[in-house]
Amino acid sequence: MGVGGPVGSGKTALVASLCQLLSAEMHLAVVTNDIYTTEDADFLRQAGVLDEERIVAVETGCCPHTAIRDDIAANVDAVEALEQRFAPLDLVLVESGGDNLTATFSYGLVDVQIFVVDVSGGDKVPRKGGPGVSQSDLLVVNKTDLAPLVGADLAVMAADAAVARGARPVLFTCLRQASGAAPIEVWLRQQLALHRRGTLAGP
Ligand SMILES: Nc1nc2c(ncn2[C@@H]2O[C@H](COP(=O)(O)OP(=O)(O)OP(=O)(O)O)[C@@H](O)[C@H]2O)c(=O)[nH]1
Ligand SMILES: [Mg+2]
């Protein structure tokens, strides 16, 4: 599963929460993408959300979307190496480097993808659109706790997201809260069940 979205929106926070929620009953691994560092993988290892060896960093050295959409080789290699080493894996989470509203994952790399935005850029973000906002399998609008501080109207964001996405799901969250990822966990379990039955909708 891919986790993409703009810089700082909460992708790593979501990956960390999902690992904490699921690792007791599932075999998990994580691939992180950063441009110049292994910062996100280091953070996840230090947070102890998974056995350190199940977290692998890809240092893209280029625009993040390149490594998740245009030339996915480094990420495919990382996922395949994890699959070989820790087989059988139930789920591999691939976090994109923080990018802009144009970055999406190739479905050659992931089966489903979540696009994470947050409220701090203002309530216009869903209205600005782009493939992550409109086409991702799940849109997460994070940091709802900050909405009053930046004057973001969540109802406007919900209405604009619905226009952009039609029936595709949108979840508002505050990943700062312990229970913040719970609705996303429910959605993810549904996707895993569909995947196991071979009935995942796909792109
Ligand atoms: N107030 C608030 N802060 C949050 C929330 N979720 C995440 N953060 C904080 O936002 C900052 C960025 O979160 P990350 O999870 O690192 O974001 P990211 O999308 O992985 O960032 P990049 O990988 O650098 O693009 C961190 O300081 C988090 O603690 C939230 O719901 N509310
Ligand atoms: Mg991150």
Side-chain angles (χ1 to χ4, degrees):
M1 183 183 79
V3 181
V7 176
S9 60
K11 297 177 295 296
T12 303
L14 178 59
V15 169
S17 294
L18 291 174
C19 288
Q20 283 161 338
L21 288 164
L22 298 170
S23 62
E25 61 179 284
M26 286 183 201
H27 301 292
L28 302 177
V30 170
V31 176
T32 64
N33 281 252
D34 273 303
I35 306 176
Y36 300 122
T37 66
T38 57
E39 175 84 21
D40 286 358
D42 297 341
F43 174 88
L44 292 169
R45 290 191 191 110
Q46 277 161 21
V49 298
L50 281 185
D51 175 9
E52 291 191 4
E53 295 182 337
R54 290 174 179 261
I55 302 169
V56 168
V58 170
E59 209 173 305
T60 59
C62 59
C63 288
H65 68 261
T66 310
I68 61 164
R69 191 186 60 209
D70 302 337
D71 180 359
I72 59 175
N75 273 286
V76 170
D77 285 351
V79 171
E80 287 180 353
L82 285 164
E83 283 176 331
Q84 276 173 13
R85 184 158 178 209
F86 296 107
L89 286 173
D90 296 298
L91 175 66
V92 181
L93 299 161
V94 182
E95 180 187 338
S96 169
D99 208 321
N100 54 36
L101 293 175
T102 67
T104 51
F105 287 85
S106 162
Y107 280 98
L109 176 62
V110 302
D111 295 301
V112 289
Q113 53 188 303
I114 298 177
F115 199 69
V116 184
V117 299
D118 71 80
V119 308
S120 62
D123 55 25
K124 63 186 181 297
V125 170
R127 195 159 63 242
K128 289 205 167 190
V133 166
S134 60
Q135 302 295 319
S136 58
D137 299 292
L138 174 67
L139 177 66
V140 170
V141 182
N142 186 34
K143 307 193 189 181
T144 52
D145 56 312
L146 299 183
L149 301 177
V150 297
D153 186 334
L154 299 182
V156 167
M157 297 185 90
D160 289 342
V163 169
R165 294 177 61 77
R168 292 188 175 87
V170 183
L171 292 171
F172 285 73
T173 58
C174 173
L175 290 167
R176 262 280 156 87
Q177 287 175 356
S179 60
I184 301 155
E185 179 197 4
V186 170
W187 176 86
L188 179 53
R189 286 180 185 278
Q190 290 166 350
Q191 301 305 303
L192 279 165
L194 291 171
H195 183 66
R196 288 189 181 119
R197 290 205 299 268
T199 52
L200 202 58

